[in-house]
Amino acid sequence: MHTVVVGTSGVTASDVLAVARADARIELSEEAVLALAAARGIVDQLAAKPDPVYGVSTGFGALATRHISRDLRAQLQRNIVRSHAAGMGPRVEREVVRALMFLRLKTVCSGHTGVRPEVAQTMADVLNAGITPVVHEYGSLGCSGDLAPLSHCALTLLGEGDAEGPDGVVRPAGELLAEHGIAPVELREKEGLALLNGTDGMLGMLVMALADLDTLYKSADITAALSLEALLGTDKVLAPELHAIRPHPGQAAAAANMLAVLEGSELTGHHQDDAPRVQDAYSVRCAPQVAGAGRDTLAHARLVAERELASAVDNPVVLPDGRVESNGNFHGAPVAYVLDFLAIAAADLASIAERRTDRLLDKNRSHGLPPFLADDPGVDSGLMIAQYTQAALVSELKRLAVPASADSIPSSAMQEDHVSMGWSAARKLRTAVDNLTRVVAVELYAATRAVELRDGLAPAPASRAVIDAVRKAGVRGAGPDRFLAPDLAAVDAFVRDGLLVAAAETVTGPLR
């Protein structure tokens, strides 16, 4: 099994994906253990002094004005975890919770939190045992950290609350820890606060969305190329010299991908034949510009994610010179903005894909294809309602594109009076990514059928490879009307599992 070693300098996106989705094993580096011990020594020194220090010997948030005596500090740390584990609603997905816990461990191991090495090791042990705390949909405002979600994770470390075992069964956390030989932690000064004060949930969801969208943008280039073929469009608009004079890197990459898929096609360039047109419609001709803008958005979001992955997000933090200082680094604005930006890009990519699908189905604009790609139009409805479903998904994506980060709602008796709503931005982006996958799948379903209906002209070898792979996956081609939902589910899985990109790349080589 792959092992991820956590040090003091952060982790990579591939580390997050390995832990969240592939159950990679976690180890703490010797450097991290030494840094944890050194920072803890500083906290212990401050805890022994009479002067109040936020998070060490005071209450929290609006209650930070109270100095807490030494005999109550362990209770204080337990109480913050218990009281903040106040989430509601459906359970959050296992991969999100694993990413959340792993990223909190990343910050703990930075040596800036003052958490003891044994607490960090327990966090790693819980992840390695496949124990997943029950975390709920609602409870984070994206400021002062993803408080409720992280608190539910910390509660498991205490042996309290509920968690899912490696067998997928939810049970009391204490029982699961005992079965795996993990002793519950007894929190000391600052540790409870440090376990729940970070942007880890929204960051984990950002990292996973970036990975999924990277595949989806390649998928959308492939389906756009297939639609261009099916519509007998021209590939001249994809020429590198045209995109070089507007040097957006994402646009050049999208055009290059489409051109690679279309190489060797007998279907392109017929736009001057029986139904001549000077130019293809925007949804075909401008596909690289729209997909390219989305790619450049991904690049910006990836930069923000990389910075956050290298960050130590906590309040207060332990500095190398021995100071423990309050700060506002837990505010989720940098992550929230790009989560919202990605949802906008996803909605627009879905919108242009749906327009191409509609064009394939409309006999007045499809340049000779049967209405709705039906076998016997009138008797058969073909893909009419598949496009309805796609349109409904696009409409939902537009609603999901409304930014969460433009909102703020004050909390904690106005102490936390401006929040990022980054967790909400991340949750809606996950839905947007799911829906975009379905939209691309419907275009693929229509485009492969349309290409097959162009008798006498051979598609590009890459297109042929895609069509063959789709059919092998159980997605049926043209023919009389049938129950469509199973076909749509199969083509959705084909795109979601990366099989579309893999099929095209058997001919094109790696796409950009």
Side-chain angles (χ1 to χ4, degrees):
M1 182 182 290
H2 178 60
T3 298
V4 172
V5 178
V6 183
T8 60
S9 57
V11 297
T12 66
S14 60
D15 291 336
V16 177
L17 294 171
V19 172
R21 292 180 164 173
D23 291 346
R25 187 169 183 79
I26 301 162
E27 292 182 2
L28 309 186
S29 72
E30 182 178 352
E31 172 196 34
V33 174
L34 292 172
L36 283 160
R40 184 64 211 179
I42 293 170
V43 170
D44 286 341
Q45 290 175 14
L46 290 171
K49 294 180 179 180
D51 301 328
V53 177
Y54 177 69
V56 176
S57 53
T58 71
F60 308 113
L63 302 176
T65 53
R66 178 177 171 182
H67 182 261
I68 307 299
S69 62
R70 298 194 68 175
D71 61 315
L72 293 176
R73 290 177 190 171
Q75 181 181 339
L76 170 70
Q77 300 300 321
R78 285 195 305 273
N79 284 352
I80 190 174
V81 172
R82 289 169 173 167
S83 65
H84 286 44
M88 295 181 74
R91 284 182 58 194
V92 170
E93 304 86 354
R94 181 178 186 270
E95 66 177 15
V96 172
V97 179
R98 287 185 61 81
L100 173 76
M101 291 183 68
F102 175 65
L103 288 168
R104 183 77 318 229
L105 176 61
K106 173 268 299 183
T107 282
V108 165
C109 288
S110 69
H112 291 294
T113 67
V115 169
R116 288 169 294 151
E118 51 264 44
V119 176
Q121 185 59 57
T122 301
M123 296 171 75
D125 290 343
V126 168
L127 284 164
N128 289 339
I131 298 171
T132 306
V134 170
V135 173
H136 300 279
E137 180 83 16
Y138 302 105
S140 175
L141 298 178
C143 199
S144 286
D146 289 320
L147 285 174
L150 281 163
S151 296
H152 281 276
C153 293
L155 199 64
T156 294
L157 302 179
L158 303 184
E160 300 181 17
D162 293 326
E164 179 186 298
D167 58 359
V169 177
V170 174
R171 296 166 53 198
E175 292 181 12
L176 288 167
L177 295 186
E179 283 185 7
H180 289 85
I182 302 171
V185 298
E186 296 182 6
L187 299 175
R188 289 169 49 179
E189 291 93 343
K190 194 184 179 302
E191 290 180 334
L193 183 62
L195 291 177
L196 44 116
N197 210 346
T199 57
D200 309 292
M202 64 184 89
L203 176 58
M205 286 185 274
L206 172 60
V207 169
M208 289 185 283
L210 286 168
D212 295 338
L213 287 168
D214 183 67
T215 299
L216 274 174
Y217 270 84
K218 293 174 187 174
S219 300
D221 291 340
I222 297 166
T223 59
L226 283 162
S227 291
L228 185 152
E229 276 191 294
L231 293 167
L232 304 178
T234 178
D235 59 357
K236 289 183 178 180
V237 296
L238 305 174
E241 57 269 26
L242 293 175
H243 299 279
I245 62 175
R246 194 190 190 196
H248 293 288
Q251 176 179 322
N257 283 349
M258 289 182 66
L259 205 56
V261 172
L262 292 169
E263 185 176 354
S265 175
E266 295 179 3
L267 288 163
T268 59
H270 294 275
H271 60 299
Q272 294 291 350
D273 291 352
D274 296 334
R277 54 198 189 273
V278 176
Q279 301 175 116
D280 291 317
Y282 282 11
S283 60
V284 177
R285 184 168 21 124
C286 301
Q289 285 76 11
V290 172
R295 268 191 171 77
D296 292 340
T297 302
L298 286 179
H300 172 60
R302 193 170 289 113
L303 176 62
V304 171
E306 288 169 355
R307 290 170 176 163
E308 198 76 358
L309 287 167
S311 301
V313 179
D314 193 18
N315 179 49
V317 291
V318 182
L319 297 174
D321 61 7
R323 287 180 294 145
V324 175
E325 297 285 0
S326 292
N327 67 92
N329 284 344
F330 49 73
H331 199 287
V335 182
Y337 291 170
V338 294
L339 288 163
D340 280 331
F341 201 175
L342 289 174
I344 292 169
D348 201 36
L349 186 64
S351 181
I352 197 170
E354 184 274 331
R355 287 294 81 204
R356 289 190 296 264
T357 304
D358 182 67
R359 186 165 289 270
L360 290 168
L361 272 54
D362 184 352
K363 70 180 181 64
N364 297 312
R365 296 179 292 140
S366 67
H367 310 288
L369 291 169
F372 303 106
L373 306 180
D375 187 62
D376 184 4
V379 174
D380 294 314
S381 294
L383 305 190
M384 180 190 294
I385 306 305
Q387 184 268 330
Y388 275 44
T389 299
Q390 190 187 42
L393 289 162
V394 171
S395 186
E396 174 73 5
L397 275 154
K398 291 174 183 177
R399 291 190 290 273
L400 292 166
V402 176
S405 58
D407 185 29
S408 177
I409 187 165
S411 58
S412 192
M414 294 299 286
Q415 176 71 5
E416 297 167 12
D417 59 353
H418 185 275
V419 297
S420 77
M421 302 307 296
W423 174 272
S424 298
R427 295 306 296 166
K428 70 183 182 64
L429 178 60
R430 281 182 71 83
T431 303
V433 170
D434 274 348
N435 285 352
L436 175 59
T437 305
R438 297 180 180 108
V439 169
V440 171
V442 174
E443 184 184 11
L444 176 63
Y445 189 51
T448 52
R449 178 183 286 206
V451 168
E452 288 180 315
L453 289 170
R454 294 291 189 188
D455 293 331
L457 294 171
S463 301
R464 182 75 262 166
V466 166
I467 294 168
D468 290 345
V470 167
R471 301 292 171 252
K472 187 177 180 181
V475 181
R476 294 166 292 180
D481 279 357
R482 55 182 177 263
F483 181 23
L484 273 190
D487 275 356
L488 295 178
V491 76
D492 174 37
F494 186 79
V495 173
R496 193 175 299 275
D497 295 341
L499 299 178
L500 171 56
V501 174
E505 288 183 338
T506 60
V507 176
T508 64
L511 294 172
R512 294 164 63 178

